[in-house]
Each structure stands twice: as C-alpha cells, then as structure tokens.
Amino acid sequence: MTVLALMRHGESGMSIPDEARPISANGRDQARRSAAWLAEQGLEPGHALVSSARRTVETFHAMDLRCPMTATEELYECPGRRVLDEINGVPGDVDVLLVVAHFPGLPEAAAQLDPGAELPGFAPGTVVLLDLDDGPAAPGSGRMLSWFTP
C-alpha cells in the first residue's frame, strides 16, 4: 500500500518562457504550510517526483523535505494518464510518494485514480492524499483520504 500525495506547485510569478516561472514569496509559504500539514498527518515522503519546471522544483525545495527528488520534463503540461505513467515508473517500494506538478494534469490523475471522489479545486499549494492499491497506479486503484489547501 502506498500513500500518494499529489501537490500543485506554489503560487508563481509571471515569466516567459512558462517553464521558467519562479514561485512567489506566497508560493514558498504555501509550500511550507503544505509540508507542515503532511507532517501533521504523520506522513514523510520517501521520494518526490517533480515536474522539471522551475516553480515545481522551487516548491519542492521550499518544503525542506529529507527525501530524494526526481525532476522530469514528462510531468510538465501533461494529461492525467501521463502522471500515472510517471508514478508507475518510480523504482522500488515507496510508502509515501509526493508528486509536485501542474493543473490540469494533477486533478485529472486524481479523478482517474478515484472516480467517485469529490476533489478540491487544486489551487496553488493544494495537496490531495490518496491511498493506492498494491500494483500499478491505474484508473480506480485509489481512494482519496483527505486534502489540504494552504
């Protein structure tokens, strides 16, 4: 059993190109608050899978977690199915997997994992926790546990 934490990056400023947008001071605060909420839930990610966009990498670093991180271009501007594919590509057995990425891929992935869940709006910094069945992340293989928006 794996707990999956799907997190939208913190609030970001405007920049061109889009993937170079930094998080704002408020975005750093959102990231810290979301990390604190995860800790309050007794969850410490064993690994983080992060979009290679600047704002997602900066969000991860602002969380000050002690887990390894893999940044990938595959999570940038991708559909929900691609998010699931990337989750399935994480090697080893991870009890808590954090994914820091973007809208609309994250809400699409959450909706695929738990089609009956009433999901939040995925504002910047939002974290959605899902309990995943053993085996690959696939449509219907998760149950939403809770969510937090800073």
Side-chain angles (χ1 to χ4, degrees):
M1 178 173 21
T2 297
V3 173
L4 177 64
L6 297 177
M7 179 179 180
R8 184 174 177 196
H9 60 80
E11 177 187 87
S12 59
M14 297 306 294
S15 180
I16 295 177
D18 180 71
E19 63 272 6
R21 292 169 47 196
I23 61 170
S24 64
N26 187 48
R28 282 187 291 282
D29 181 60
Q30 290 168 332
R32 286 189 290 270
R33 290 172 56 202
S34 292
W37 180 78
L38 284 172
E40 289 169 9
Q41 308 310 302
L43 299 173
E44 183 174 327
H47 191 86
L49 188 59
V50 179
S51 162
S52 60
R54 179 178 176 182
R55 61 192 176 273
T56 50
V57 172
E58 289 180 358
T59 296
F60 170 76
H61 288 303
M63 295 177 81
D64 199 28
L65 300 171
R66 297 178 190 2
C67 68
M69 179 265 281
T70 303
T72 175
E73 291 181 19
E74 299 299 326
L75 288 174
Y76 179 69
E77 294 187 341
C78 71
R81 182 65 223 175
R82 186 69 193 151
V83 174
L84 300 186
D85 291 344
E86 290 300 305
I87 291 166
N88 289 329
V90 173
D93 188 25
V94 178
D95 290 336
V96 180
L97 177 64
L98 172 66
V99 178
V100 183
H102 309 273
F103 188 91
L106 288 180
E108 289 175 5
Q112 289 177 24
L113 290 167
D114 186 353
E118 291 187 31
L119 297 168
F122 273 89
T126 296
V127 180
V128 171
L129 296 178
L130 294 119
D131 181 19
L132 295 183
D133 296 335
D134 291 335
S141 68
R143 283 151 310 286
M144 188 173 76
L145 299 170
S146 59
W147 60 272
F148 172 77
T149 297

